[in-house]
Amino acid sequence: MIIIAFSRKTSKLIPRIFCKKYRHVAPIVVDGDEMIMLQFVCAKNIAPIKLRMRDIKILAQHGWDFIYVPCALPHDFSLRKVRTCVELTKRALDIHDRKILTPFALYKKIR
């Protein structure tokens, strides 16, 4: 299963200008009892963060929204040449739609 986490906050300038409701997105890969958030920091820098259910609840209290997607990572999933958090999440979900450029557009597509 993959959990998609959407945030309304960011420290980056460009998402503050162009993104409407959600400004950041991160996939959380669930494998048994282990959850790993793939946090996009900048190009060529993706930080894997281990989470527990307690951490998910804390993120929800700080304004993060979650969508649970019942699928696994694609077998050809790669972190190479990822330029945005949306592109990282689209690769994790195996979505190839070029029109999806913002976290809110991705949110509407998944819903």
Side-chain angles (χ1 to χ4, degrees):
M1 172 169 42
I2 297 176
I3 302 170
I4 308 300
F6 294 91
S7 175
R8 291 179 172 90
K9 301 175 185 174
T10 186
S11 62
K12 310 244 184 266
L13 179 64
I14 292 175
R16 286 185 191 178
I17 296 169
F18 293 110
C19 300
K20 294 179 184 178
K21 184 176 181 180
Y22 296 113
R23 295 183 174 163
H24 184 66
V25 62
I28 302 171
V29 181
V30 179
D31 187 25
D33 293 338
E34 188 174 295
M35 292 187 282
I36 298 174
M37 175 187 270
L38 300 174
Q39 181 71 29
F40 180 84
V41 180
C42 64
K44 299 181 183 178
N45 190 2
I46 290 126
I49 302 171
K50 290 187 179 183
L51 299 176
R52 292 177 282 158
M53 276 310 292
R54 178 180 175 270
D55 301 325
I56 299 286
K57 291 177 184 176
I58 291 171
L59 288 173
Q61 290 174 352
H62 287 5
W64 287 70
D65 293 331
F66 301 96
I67 296 179
Y68 297 87
V69 181
C71 68
L73 282 177
H75 66 283
D76 60 346
F77 179 71
S78 171
L79 298 176
R80 294 178 42 193
K81 298 182 181 180
V82 174
R83 289 177 264 160
T84 65
C85 60
V86 175
E87 188 176 339
L88 170 68
T89 307
K90 284 178 13 180
R91 284 190 188 184
L93 295 175
D94 203 23
I95 296 175
H96 301 287
D97 192 354
R98 290 184 179 183
K99 297 177 199 171
I100 299 174
L101 298 174
T102 64
F104 188 61
L106 183 64
Y107 179 83
K108 290 192 297 187
K109 172 77 173 181
I110 296 171
R111 273 286 177 200

